Amino acid sequence: SSELTQDPDVSVALGQTVRITCQGETLRSYNADWYQQKPGQAPAVVIYGENQRPSGISDRFSVSKSGNTASLTITGTQAEDEADYYCKSRDASGNVGLFGGGTRLTVL
Amino acid sequence: QVQLQESGPGLVKPSETLSLTCSVSGASMRSHYWSWIRQPPGKGLEWIGYFSYSGRTNYNPSLDSRVTISVDTSKSQSSLRLRSVTAADTAVYYCVRGLFYDSSGFLFDSWGQGTRVTVSS
């Protein structure tokens, strides 16, 4: 069955650059979107498609893709970037809502 | 700016039907894809399904046999019904608006605050 795999936990020093990855065979055919969720809040999209960011989202967030792996990169990580990050794409049947397991980003 | 607000019982008994409503303001429901997503306690996100502006439904295969999503455009509401619930259906349920942003990319662009549902006798 289709699945997207993320590292459960990633940490980064304040001001440094961090990459969060998402692996899955369907990423060879589809782009991934990335959602940020802070404690007690609903998720919100931070970047989608080919580096498209909603209004108000910092350009410190960028994405790339190679083969079956999509990556979210945060440059100059700030304390407010500490959150859970979920990638989302499509499954092998084309259904739109395949989520990765999430990555908890800790800013040291 | 679209706003979505979930409502419904916070406690449902095992084997019964979970029913939630999402009230939408600030946008017409005659466009976009009106979706539900859930998140069990301490776990990740699971897409439940959507009802499209054209009246088509698409459900997560793992829930397809138990779920119905509908939209009442006259009331600006989306509804979720999940039958035969068990403790595994305990989660925060989010009402979410979706859209295609290119030929294959699909985005969940607006989320409700979520409503917690516990399945317990």
Side-chain angles (χ1 to χ4, degrees):
Chain A
S1 61
S2 305
E3 61 179 19
L4 298 176
T5 302
Q6 299 181 240
D7 291 328
D9 296 280
V10 171
S11 60
V12 60
L14 185 69
Q16 297 304 300
T17 296
V18 63
R19 177 175 294 181
I20 298 171
T21 61
C22 175
Q23 284 189 306
E25 284 304 304
T26 58
L27 294 176
R28 298 184 186 277
S29 303
Y30 302 111
N31 285 327
D33 314 320
W34 292 86
Y35 297 81
Q36 177 192 69
Q37 185 179 32
K38 296 182 178 181
Q41 297 183 18
V45 59
V46 290
I47 198 163
Y48 61 98
E50 296 185 6
N51 279 306
Q52 299 178 71
R53 288 179 296 275
S55 174
I57 299 299
S58 171
D59 60 4
R60 296 183 295 99
F61 291 87
S62 64
V63 293
S64 60
K65 192 174 73 167
S66 178
N68 72 338
T69 301
S71 300
L72 170 69
T73 299
I74 310 173
T75 57
T77 307
Q78 303 299 303
E80 67 256 29
D81 300 331
E82 186 165 281
D84 293 332
Y85 290 87
Y86 294 91
C87 63
K88 183 203 70 66
S89 189
R90 303 180 78 166
D91 70 14
S93 298
N95 293 306
V96 299
L98 180 63
F99 283 96
T103 296
R104 176 152 295 176
L105 177 65
T106 300
V107 180
L108 304 173
Chain B
Q1 178 180 342
V2 62
Q3 292 188 321
L4 304 97
Q5 179 67 59
E6 305 89 348
S7 60
L11 181 65
V12 181
K13 290 182 168 54
S15 80
E16 295 190 345
T17 297
L18 179 160
S19 294
L20 297 175
T21 298
C22 173
S23 298
V24 178
S25 60
S28 169
M29 297 195 76
R30 298 184 188 277
S31 62
H32 296 89
Y33 295 74
W34 302 95
S35 310
W36 289 87
I37 292 169
R38 69 181 184 179
Q39 185 172 34
K43 296 188 177 180
L45 302 169
E46 180 180 32
W47 173 69
I48 298 171
Y50 69 61
F51 187 100
S52 80
Y53 64 92
S54 63
R56 189 170 66 91
T57 55
N58 187 207
Y59 301 133
N60 187 321
S62 68
L63 298 169
D64 189 294
S65 63
R66 297 195 293 132
V67 67
T68 301
I69 296 174
S70 60
V71 165
D72 186 336
T73 55
S74 67
K75 295 182 179 179
S76 290
Q77 290 181 338
S78 170
S79 296
L80 168 70
R81 288 174 56 85
L82 183 64
R83 296 174 289 278
S84 304
V85 297
T86 69
D89 295 309
T90 293
V92 173
Y93 285 77
Y94 293 100
C95 173
V96 187
R97 188 178 75 170
L99 61 96
F100 281 95
Y101 57 86
D102 62 24
S103 61
S104 65
F106 187 91
L107 170 69
F108 295 117
D109 74 327
S110 298
W111 296 62
Q113 66 184 22
T115 187
R116 185 175 303 274
V117 178
T118 300
V119 178
S120 175
S121 56

